[in-house]
Amino acid sequence: MMKPSRKWSRAEVLQARGVMILGAALVLSACGSLEEASAPVEQVLSTAKQAAVCEDCEPGGGGGGGGPVPPHIEFFEGNNASQDSLGKVYLPPNGEFRSYDLTAAGTNIGIPNDEARSMVLRNIPPGTLIVLCDCPHSPVECLFTDRAYYKVWYETIVSKTIGSFETDLPSGENLAMSYWQHPWLSGSERVLDGKVSVIQVFAPGVPAEVVNSVGCDY
């Protein structure tokens, strides 16, 4: 048989409430408000999440922060990615290509004609083809000028510097390079460093017949 519960006097009830209120006040005074107490935890979780999602990020502008680095090629004025950065070309969607005529005023991408001597590849996926051409001003003349082809084969290139457009790359590697020059019009000297007038970027999935039909023509 259960014993009847003891009735609390009014004084005891007020005393118990006072103890609870005092305890809560002490906790809040030591730790701050509930929102303030949870802020450090949320900040740690947010930082960890950003680090996990974005191990390779571009610095953010203005208010700070950053985001995942989109696949792009950055061109430089000097060899081995030296001197000024001339600008970037971003990879188009899969199955598409972009062709940029650097000699066309108002229609280029900010990269000056006949200035680029090197480039840096960042997060470029396998199957990407990059074509650089010393093409003066007409499609016919393009057929007789120097061209360099860069093809990514097996795995994504996170970051790689191409120090010169006139230098062959080692064979059998993930990035293959092929240089073409007209056998008698171009002479024996390679002349593509500082002579890039057309940039073409073919994303993975562009059919070979499309690549062959476009060439370095614009």
Side-chain angles (χ1 to χ4, degrees):
M1 182 174 181
M2 296 181 61
K3 294 181 179 181
S5 60
R6 184 175 71 85
K7 291 185 176 180
W8 287 41
S9 68
R10 180 179 180 82
E12 289 175 322
V13 171
L14 292 176
Q15 183 179 6
R17 288 181 179 176
V19 171
M20 288 188 291
I21 293 173
L22 178 60
L26 291 174
V27 170
L28 290 177
S29 64
C31 301
S33 65
L34 293 177
E35 290 80 4
E36 291 172 343
S38 63
V41 177
E42 293 176 356
Q43 184 176 1
V44 170
L45 291 176
S46 176
T47 302
K49 182 179 179 181
Q50 290 179 9
V53 173
C54 185
E55 296 179 353
D56 184 13
C57 291
E58 286 187 319
V69 177
H72 69 270
I73 306 109
E74 184 172 7
F75 292 87
F76 289 85
E77 183 181 10
N79 291 126
N80 301 309
S82 63
Q83 300 185 49
D84 292 336
S85 171
L86 301 176
K88 300 177 182 179
V89 174
Y90 290 88
L91 194 73
N94 284 355
E96 298 184 16
F97 72 93
R98 299 287 185 271
S99 186
Y100 303 98
D101 173 15
L102 304 185
T103 69
T107 59
N108 59 31
I109 48 178
I111 299 175
N113 179 45
D114 288 348
E115 289 292 332
R117 288 179 175 268
S118 61
M119 64 182 177
V120 177
L121 311 180
R122 293 191 175 94
N123 291 338
I124 304 298
T128 302
L129 173 66
I130 302 165
V131 183
L132 308 177
C133 185
D134 175 23
C135 186
H137 298 286
S138 72
V140 175
E141 290 178 285
C142 282
L143 299 175
F144 303 102
T145 56
D146 289 37
R147 296 188 291 276
Y149 301 83
Y150 297 90
K151 180 66 176 288
V152 182
W153 286 107
Y154 313 114
E155 57 187 7
T156 297
I157 294 177
V158 177
S159 181
K160 185 175 181 63
T161 298
I162 306 301
S164 168
F165 304 136
E166 298 175 358
T167 303
D168 291 326
L169 297 179
S171 59
E173 294 195 351
N174 183 42
L175 180 66
M177 181 263 201
S178 176
Y179 195 97
W180 187 93
Q181 58 190 130
H182 197 280
W184 52 272
L185 284 180
S186 298
S188 59
E189 297 292 328
R190 294 184 176 185
V191 293
L192 196 55
D193 271 7
K195 290 294 182 180
V196 176
S197 296
V198 174
I199 299 171
Q200 293 182 321
V201 183
F202 298 82
V206 177
E209 56 269 22
V210 173
V211 176
N212 294 334
S213 65
V214 174
C216 218
D217 184 3
Y218 59 82

